[in-house]
Amino acid sequence: MDVARAQDRVDRPGDSGDRSQVSVDRPRNNGYNAGNEPFYSRSFDPMPSAAALTALGRQLFADSALSASGKIACATCHDPKHDFGPANTQAVQRGGADGRSFGVRAVPSLKYTQNTPPFTEHFVDDDGDDSVDQGPAGGRTWDGRSQSFHDQARLPLFSSFEMANRDSDAVVAKVQAGHAEEFRAVFGAKVFDDKALAFKGVLMALEAYQQNPAEFYPYSSKYDSFLRHEASLSAQELRGLAAFNDPERGNCARCHPSAKIKGAFPQFTDFGFAAIGAPRNSSIPANADRRYYDLGLCGPLRTDLQDRHEYCGLFRTPSLRNVAHRPVFLHNGVFHSLSDVVRFYAERDTKPEKWYPRASDGRILKFDDLPALYVANVDTQAPFDRHAGDAAALNDQDIEDIVAFLRTLTDGFQSG
């Protein structure tokens, strides 16, 4: 992706003088002696079985009592019945100590993240050519700031607009109140004698649960059956796959690879980051402050790359598996229809007036959710290589066909 290094700054939450409604969640006591003992060191003797950890993690995942409000469980926003994403159509979800604080980003699905690599600024795909640097890739959440399942599991426990616990001891106290018997059965009778170790047990259980193949990566879609030669795609679905892969039309497979790689079924993400110039979503409360911008990799929630201006506006490329069941799309949940998302990709540059607002003088405010300073970071590869008035890379039939193909990525397919 072509990016330019900008030299100036814009106000972000946490900058001097900023009066945004959004607070940046700072690292808190993580409860397991980070920096001195590796997370995967043998802390429990004997080590719990994967089955026992998974069963315990499933209980913790569903327990709203583990939040400060007593109303928010992991499963509240990552509903198992909705592909471990939100069950409602809101762009952002509510949480916090009072259960009323709004988040700032759409909640992603937790499915098909098992192969996500740790974040790196220089990702080289194992395709035989080590000279190709893909740039930033990996990590979890929209900005890649958590490096593992247990890092990701920790974030919502402490986030001020999610489960909002004060610290790890508060989490352990809630676990001890509601799951003491099960916890001791898994980790030993004295597990609560060491609060830091007990919190590590919480994260281990949540991590084990989120790696349960049957629930989180079953590869049970129609497309998976097609790849196994157990089912056929319809003519429309095949046309959609062709348009999806075609570098001159959808070019979707550039970031969402659709082919097997060394025999492994595709994840439909390259684990990279991109700035696509999504329209600003006025339904996100934080966006009422026109000085507030969510800049993805360079802030405000991620703080270690805040001075890497070439990263501003870049967000993680999600997997497209089960995308047809999502209630909202893109990092800010600005779209509620899969066909609208595909059409936006096709028409962002050819019909910008359709997707962006106008200023009082009639100018189209293209890329209105990104400071002008960072517009050079926006993706300009196909289908984003057109200009106003040009023919779109995808026609109406192509869009319908791609949507039909994307529906084949939904888990739970049964032939016949």
Side-chain angles (χ1 to χ4, degrees):
M1 176 181 296
D2 295 327
V3 295
R5 182 182 296 275
Q7 300 302 317
D8 299 315
R9 292 181 62 98
V10 297
D11 287 339
R12 307 188 188 100
D15 284 350
S16 175
D18 181 75
R19 297 187 294 276
S20 169
Q21 303 173 41
V22 178
S23 62
V24 178
D25 290 316
R26 303 300 182 188
R28 310 186 189 193
N29 171 23
N30 61 22
Y32 65 88
N33 201 27
N36 296 324
E37 178 184 285
F39 184 83
Y40 295 111
S41 61
R42 192 178 180 89
S43 302
F44 302 99
D45 190 16
M47 282 294 290
S49 68
L53 285 169
T54 298
L56 179 59
R58 186 180 292 107
Q59 291 182 37
L60 299 179
F61 193 87
D63 190 356
S64 59
L66 300 189
S67 64
S69 68
K71 301 176 182 178
I72 308 295
C74 301
T76 302
C77 296
H78 298 286
D79 190 333
K81 295 180 180 179
H82 292 83
D83 300 305
F84 290 94
N88 59 46
T89 60
Q90 297 173 7
V92 294
Q93 303 299 309
R94 287 195 181 203
D98 59 0
R100 299 179 179 179
S101 299
F102 283 99
V104 294
R105 293 175 183 161
V107 174
S109 170
L110 295 181
K111 295 187 80 170
Y112 294 98
T113 65
Q114 75 280 5
N115 292 330
T116 304
F119 177 80
T120 176
E121 292 187 64
H122 303 285
F123 182 74
V124 178
D125 198 2
D126 185 16
D127 61 358
D129 185 357
D130 292 341
S131 67
V132 179
D133 183 351
Q134 182 177 305
R140 296 160 193 276
T141 72
W142 283 108
D143 56 22
R145 70 189 185 279
S146 62
Q147 298 289 67
S148 63
F149 278 106
H150 56 268
D151 281 338
Q152 184 275 325
R154 185 193 304 109
L155 282 177
L157 289 170
F158 301 130
S159 169
S160 62
F161 46 78
E162 295 182 75
M163 299 174 80
N165 286 288
R166 181 184 69 255
D167 54 28
S168 60
D169 286 355
V171 176
V172 170
K174 294 178 175 70
V175 170
Q176 190 168 6
H179 303 273
E181 181 178 350
E182 300 95 323
F183 219 72
R184 291 190 177 103
V186 173
F187 294 110
K190 297 182 179 181
V191 63
F192 293 111
D193 293 352
D194 184 336
K195 294 294 192 294
L197 193 62
F199 183 67
K200 179 176 178 178
V202 171
L203 298 184
M204 286 183 66
L206 289 171
E207 178 173 63
Y209 172 53
Q210 291 180 61
Q211 294 183 82
N212 179 27
E215 293 173 77
F216 286 90
Y217 47 103
Y219 294 100
S220 60
S221 72
K222 182 178 183 180
Y223 188 63
D224 294 315
S225 292
F226 170 74
L227 292 178
R228 295 186 183 101
H229 307 290
E230 297 172 352
S232 299
L233 299 185
S234 70
Q236 183 178 36
E237 291 162 351
L238 287 171
R239 291 197 309 267
L241 174 59
F244 183 95
N245 290 335
D246 189 340
E248 301 300 322
R249 289 191 288 166
N251 202 23
C252 312
R254 173 172 66 96
C255 298
H256 302 281
S258 61
K260 285 184 178 181
I261 300 176
K262 297 182 178 179
F265 280 20
Q267 304 300 301
F268 283 88
T269 175
D270 63 356
F271 308 111
F273 291 81
I276 65 168
R280 192 172 179 89
N281 190 348
S282 61
S283 70
I284 297 178
N287 284 343
D289 183 347
R290 281 301 313 179
R291 296 164 302 168
Y292 170 76
Y293 290 97
D294 188 348
L295 299 177
L297 268 182
C298 73
L301 300 185
R302 181 167 189 158
T303 58
D304 60 320
L305 299 174
Q306 61 185 3
D307 294 321
R308 299 297 300 274
H309 301 297
E310 70 271 33
Y311 294 162
C312 291
L314 274 65
F315 292 86
R316 182 175 61 86
T317 300
S319 169
L320 295 184
R321 286 180 171 273
N322 297 294
V323 68
H325 279 182
R326 291 181 194 169
V328 298
F329 301 88
L330 307 187
H331 74 275
N332 62 358
V334 67
F335 294 124
H336 293 262
S337 161
L338 185 55
S339 60
D340 279 349
V341 179
V342 180
R343 191 172 296 279
F344 168 72
Y345 272 68
E347 299 178 348
R348 186 196 76 179
D349 301 298
T350 61
K351 295 181 179 179
E353 71 279 2
K354 183 175 178 179
W355 305 101
Y356 298 100
R358 290 183 182 269
S360 57
D361 61 3
R363 288 180 299 111
I364 300 169
L365 299 176
K366 192 176 179 182
F367 307 135
D368 64 323
D369 204 24
L370 191 64
L373 197 61
Y374 305 127
V375 167
N377 295 350
V378 173
D379 192 347
T380 57
Q381 297 190 53
F384 300 132
D385 58 347
R386 309 296 171 100
H387 302 89
D390 289 349
L394 299 169
N395 60 35
D396 289 346
Q397 187 63 61
D398 291 331
I399 292 169
E400 291 180 13
D401 293 345
I402 288 176
V403 170
F405 165 67
L406 291 174
R407 292 194 180 109
T408 71
L409 306 184
T410 302
D411 285 328
F413 170 74
Q414 295 181 349
S415 61

